[in-house]
Amino acid sequence: MKSLTQRIPLLDPLLKGVGQIMLQENAWTGLLFLAGIFCGSLQMGIGAILATLCGTITAKVLNYKEEEIQSGLYGFSAALVGVALPFYFQTVAVIWIAIVIGAILATMLQHFFIVKKIPVFTFPFVFVTWILLYIFHQVYPVAASDVLMMEAQVNEDFAHALRGFGQVIFQGSTIAGLLFFIAVFISSPISALYAMAAGVVAAMISSCLSLTPQENIAMGLGSYNAVLCAIVFAGTKVMDGFWVLLSVVLALFIAWIMASYNFTLLTFPFVAGTCLTLVLKNIHTNFFNIEKVAKSGANQRH
């Protein structure tokens, strides 16, 4: 893969940009993500490549830091815009134009937050897509996509956890979910396993508390934000599991509130739940650091 990416300009940051959708700086991960997307829809696959390419080129033209470009940081929000629009709408000419414009805007917004050192994860994708959804629903209506109009096949089985992986990138099939799980596993096994467990826990909580309709849980729609939360906080310490659980619970609560008011969720519950958990984690860390310093000082005095 390394020799191939060296021969083809932009291939490495493009694949890593797609991989960064689930916080993985890995070209193989990005390639498997693309395979899963293409399994679900040719239009969404093309949209992902087009948008990621536009985001990467925008970053280069605007002279963003090369190491950030090469790590794929300017590809993942753009890629999600490129998948979201063909998911929601018929791929008429205006949608392809919107993918290009949306990818550029998401990239610029991502750069703003990177410069300010504010961790917002996929928020640029969420913000830009909300605007485009409003435009194509209210201002310049475009027909819904065939994927959106299709009646979902609901299966009550364990595979809802895999479908949670798939739904991160708008894919409802078990095959796409399995490809996405493998893609994360080859980059970070512990992240993949934590994400799988979080998907199961989120589905159980949603079902027990009736936060999400059963058919949506079976399709993985009750799990995908939890998958992303788990990947952020996955680690080998006991407290890592606590932060994963806290972020999942917060994301579920935020998703429930948004759904009650008929908001389009996208990955906003993940963004909000993760940011709140990061704030609490920093407070916890600072508090214990102060305690350690105080105890150290007391020991020295004695």
Side-chain angles (χ1 to χ4, degrees):
M1 173 68 78
K2 190 172 182 181
S3 60
L4 180 62
T5 55
Q6 286 173 343
R7 288 198 298 268
I8 303 176
L10 299 181
L11 181 59
D12 194 55
L14 187 150
L15 291 176
K16 287 180 179 177
V18 178
Q20 288 280 15
I21 291 173
M22 296 195 203
L23 293 87
Q24 306 304 308
E25 187 185 334
N26 188 298
W28 285 109
T29 299
L31 187 62
L32 284 173
F33 283 176
L34 285 175
I37 297 168
F38 272 104
C39 281
S41 165
L42 176 64
Q43 289 85 357
M44 282 192 267
I46 295 171
I49 292 174
L50 174 63
T52 311
L53 191 60
C54 288
T56 305
I57 291 173
T58 298
K60 282 189 169 292
V61 169
L62 296 178
N63 291 318
Y64 296 164
K65 289 183 179 179
E66 188 62 28
E67 59 268 29
E68 294 172 352
I69 296 172
Q70 291 302 318
S71 65
L73 293 181
Y74 296 112
F76 66 95
S77 279
L80 285 168
V81 172
V83 178
L85 291 185
F87 173 80
Y88 284 108
F89 303 107
Q90 293 280 351
T91 48
V92 293
V94 69
I95 293 300
W96 292 111
I97 295 170
I99 286 174
V100 173
I101 296 172
I104 292 170
L105 292 176
T107 300
M108 295 172 71
L109 190 57
Q110 197 85 52
H111 177 68
F112 170 80
F113 287 115
I114 287 173
V115 170
K116 298 294 182 181
K117 297 183 179 178
I118 303 173
V120 292
F121 305 102
T122 57
F123 179 71
F125 145 69
V126 173
F127 184 72
V128 169
T129 303
W130 274 343
I131 292 172
L132 293 172
L133 286 174
Y134 176 79
I135 290 171
F136 294 127
H137 278 139
Q138 306 295 332
V139 181
Y140 187 90
V142 175
S145 69
D146 295 335
V147 175
L148 205 59
M149 298 298 289
M150 246 189 287
E151 188 173 342
Q153 298 295 316
V154 178
N155 299 307
E156 298 289 345
D157 55 33
F158 72 94
H160 62 74
L162 284 176
R163 295 189 197 107
F165 269 89
Q167 292 289 1
V168 172
I169 322 180
F170 300 94
Q171 305 305 308
S173 76
T174 306
I175 293 174
L178 179 60
L179 284 172
F180 293 172
F181 172 77
I182 293 170
V184 176
F185 189 87
I186 64 175
S187 176
S188 174
I190 194 167
S191 294
L193 295 174
Y194 253 111
M196 180 66 77
V200 173
V201 170
M204 290 172 61
I205 294 173
S206 295
S207 180
C208 291
L209 300 181
S210 299
L211 300 178
T212 308
Q214 286 298 324
E215 60 270 21
N216 287 358
I217 293 172
M219 291 164 59
L221 294 172
S223 304
Y224 72 94
N225 279 295
V227 165
L228 289 169
C229 289
I231 291 172
V232 171
F233 293 104
T236 56
K237 297 178 181 177
V238 173
M239 280 303 293
D240 294 329
F242 171 76
W243 298 121
V244 168
L245 182 59
L246 178 61
S247 64
V248 167
V249 170
L250 288 172
L252 286 173
F253 179 67
I254 292 164
W256 175 70
I257 292 175
M258 292 178 69
S260 301
Y261 289 94
N262 295 317
F263 281 109
T264 302
L265 301 184
L266 302 176
T267 55
F268 185 78
F270 149 66
V271 172
T274 300
C275 287
L276 286 171
T277 303
L278 283 172
V279 170
L280 294 173
K281 185 178 180 181
N282 286 336
I283 291 172
H284 172 270
T285 301
N286 291 335
F287 175 77
F288 277 93
N289 284 342
I290 291 171
E291 272 203 342
K292 284 180 182 177
V293 171
K295 285 181 180 178
S296 176
N299 290 336
Q300 287 174 1
R301 284 194 297 272
H302 288 85

